[in-house]
Amino acid sequence: MKLLLTSAGVKNTSIHDALLGLLGRPIAECDALCIPTAMYGHPEVGPGAGAWNFIAGRSAEPMTELGWKSVGVLELTALPTIDREHWVPKLQAADVLLVAGGDALYLSHWMRESGVADLLPSLTGSVYVGMSAGSMVMAPRIGQFFVEWMPPSGGDATLGVVDFSIFPHVDHPMLPYNTMAAAELWAAGIGGPAYAIDDDTALVVVDGSVEVVSEGSWKLIGGR
């Protein structure tokens, strides 16, 4: 898969252009599936209006409202109760996955439980667009700074699709603890390379190569 890992969705022209480059054709010609699951696991989001706003394209983080040919909902918690032939072909046919923020460990757990994590490597023609926790879940781990929901297995490990971790929302006015200094302390305990990114920054990952797309602030901590 081609990855567009954002802090807050497609927030600016540079990130939008990067998305178009990954898709290789206009958004209006592409079918999307959105995944709201991470929202349910986060204590500050939960099953309230946040998930509906994300699905309906009414959130402050542009994802589903970009003008897709179609947008479906892939709810990971439901998939274990559904015959695979009812949802796997739809996942495989999607041009893009739009993955909401929330709790990265909750999302990681349900990515695995649903079977979607096992299918991600086979989706070579698709683009994965993550937002916040939807991006962080691709890392090997998230660090204790971001642990809220605790998986049955414990720990802070996520999917490990990429070999770096992500600290999102740097210097966000509503998140006073998400400073660059806090990101550097967090990264010291990660044990691998990490990117601290603000809401105007995204990471493009294609065939293991990482490109930073930014109209804001970011820092690579630990080197690559």
Side-chain angles (χ1 to χ4, degrees), residues 25-217:
R25 59 188 186 280
I27 286 175
E29 297 178 10
C30 297
D31 296 305
L33 284 178
C34 72
I35 300 177
T37 306
M39 291 186 165
Y40 307 134
H42 198 285
E44 296 181 12
V45 185
W52 183 86
N53 285 329
F54 169 71
I55 294 168
R58 298 191 178 191
S59 70
E61 295 82 20
M63 296 277 274
T64 61
E65 59 266 49
L66 298 177
W68 305 101
K69 179 181 178 182
S70 69
V71 179
V73 179
L74 191 71
E75 176 42 60
L76 302 183
T77 61
L79 298 186
T81 67
I82 301 172
D83 291 340
R84 287 174 64 87
E85 58 265 29
H86 290 167
W87 64 267
V88 171
K90 292 180 172 60
L91 175 65
Q92 293 171 332
D95 298 300
V96 63
L97 301 181
L98 307 172
V99 187
D103 192 284
L105 291 179
Y106 188 78
L107 177 59
S108 179
H109 174 77
W110 282 107
M111 281 274 198
R112 295 187 186 281
E113 288 292 305
S114 66
V116 169
D118 292 333
L119 291 169
L120 290 179
S122 69
L123 304 179
T124 55
S126 302
V127 176
Y128 178 105
V129 183
M131 174 181 68
S132 191
S135 297
M136 296 166 68
V137 74
M138 289 288 151
R141 54 184 299 211
I142 62 169
Q144 287 301 311
F145 186 91
F146 293 107
V147 173
E148 296 280 357
W149 182 86
M150 181 60 70
S153 59
D156 68 336
T158 38
L159 298 182
V161 174
V162 299
D163 64 356
F164 56 84
S165 296
I166 299 173
F167 187 108
H169 309 303
V170 170
D171 293 331
H172 192 289
M174 296 181 65
L175 300 170
Y177 299 108
N178 282 44
T179 63
M180 189 62 77
E184 291 176 348
L185 288 174
W186 159 85
I190 285 291
Y195 287 90
I197 62 175
D198 71 358
D199 284 4
D200 280 308
T201 301
L203 306 172
V204 176
V205 185
V206 179
D207 295 330
S209 177
V210 182
E211 176 189 357
V212 179
V213 176
S214 182
E215 295 183 12
S217 300

